[in-house]
Amino acid sequence: MIDTNRLHYLDNLRALAMLAGVLFHAALAYSPLMHNYWLTADRGQSGWVDAAAWFLHLFRMPLFFAIAGFFAARLVTQRGVGGMLNNRVARVLVPLVLFWPLVTAAIGWLAERAASSVRNPPPLLELLRRSDLPALPLTLAHLWFLGYLLAFYLLIWIAVTAEWKVPASWALPATPARLLGLAPLLLAPALASVSAPTPAPEGLLPQLWAIVFYGAFFFFGYALHFRPLLLSSILPGQAALAIASVAAYALFLWVLKAQSRQLGAHLAAALLQAYISVWMTVWCLRAAQAWLDTRRGWLRYLADGSYWTYLVHLPVVFAIQFQLLDWEAGWLLKWAVSVLATLIVCLASYHFAVRGTVLGRVLNGRLRRRTG
């Protein structure tokens, strides 16, 4: 049967955002900025990696939160707040509980194995070789996204159950000008409280800056469900929005060199990050609505496999890149190999071991076949 209940532009956008996540995590091995902090940091590095990867970083996760907020509102509309919460427990809490210990154990095992076998270890791996140092700190790793989603779903449940009436103008600015011009100013203080580029809030305890910053995008997506025409009104300035984001990012890279030494530069970096995050998130949503609102088989398949890929891709990236550390090849070739191999492993395992199984239904619900 044909599933007419799908929003193709969001499915397709989610698939592309998943690909961006794999590209980003694989690129960190060749990032000069992350060389001392990333487990698979390679001898081959390039400033071009930082220039491309951190641009993705500034809006990739805000975009995911906005999409998640939109679908949360859709669930509340269709099933009520109780139905939304039950669905999110099954689709978010259960995978987090299942995969967090597996992912953590896998990364720890891979790191210990690589520390004893790699001939050219990166700085962080070299530290693990010292017997007097503890194991890797316990974090949520890349699954921190699910933890914050659960907090935002709980806030929705509390607000709806308590019948809190929030003025619409608080949830979503009335005009595109307010959204694009004023909203980033409200987010900049949260970003100013942490280093730039923004670190992943992967600790076991939630961080206030992340609740404020990512919560704003989540509830923007939630409110957007009730004001779908807002994105269409941005069409006349869509190209200018992308150009302005790239220009702001070029300025951000220049400011980033001084931000650790000067307070003014740090505040400027936070403000630029806020504007780029808002502008590019809105641009991606509007571009997808304009250009991707149709069923495309390969993107639909990637969207179906995106949750599984998100859950397991980081240990896969590490496993592959640990093997590449001693390979005498350029960073670009290593990066391409690690991205391609990661996608093959993740999508093949999804196809043969997850899709159509109980686990696949937990992650994606019941897949509907298209006929006609």
Side-chain angles (χ1 to χ4, degrees), residues 45-88:
Q45 306 168 45
S46 173
W48 290 104
V49 173
D50 278 338
W54 295 110
F55 184 64
L56 281 177
H57 172 71
L58 292 182
F59 64 89
R60 181 179 59 89
M61 294 312 300
L63 180 60
F64 268 124
F65 277 105
I67 294 173
F70 184 96
F71 281 113
R74 200 167 188 233
L75 282 171
V76 170
T77 301
Q78 294 175 345
R79 307 185 186 184
V81 67
M84 180 277 295
L85 200 59
N86 289 336
N87 178 276
R88 297 295 87 183

Side-chain angles (χ1 to χ4, degrees), residues 31 38 58 72 101 112 195 211 217 239 262 265 328 367:
S31 160
W38 195 247
L58 292 182
E112 290 179 7
S195 61
I211 292 176
F217 287 96
Q262 301 177 16
E328 298 295 335
L367 297 178

Side-chain angles (χ1 to χ4, degrees), residues 40 139 143 148 200 217 234 237 249 282 309-310 327 340 343 354 364:
T40 57
T139 69
L143 302 184
Y148 282 88
F217 287 96
I234 299 174
Y249 183 64
V282 172
T309 300
Y310 158 73
W327 184 28
L340 182 60
L343 289 175
V354 178
N364 295 326

Side-chain angles (χ1 to χ4, degrees), residues 187-196 198 209 213 266 269-271 273-275 277:
L187 299 180
L191 296 181
S193 68
V194 293
S195 61
T198 52
W209 77 265
F213 181 69
H266 179 73
L271 187 62
Q273 287 182 100
Y275 273 99
S277 298

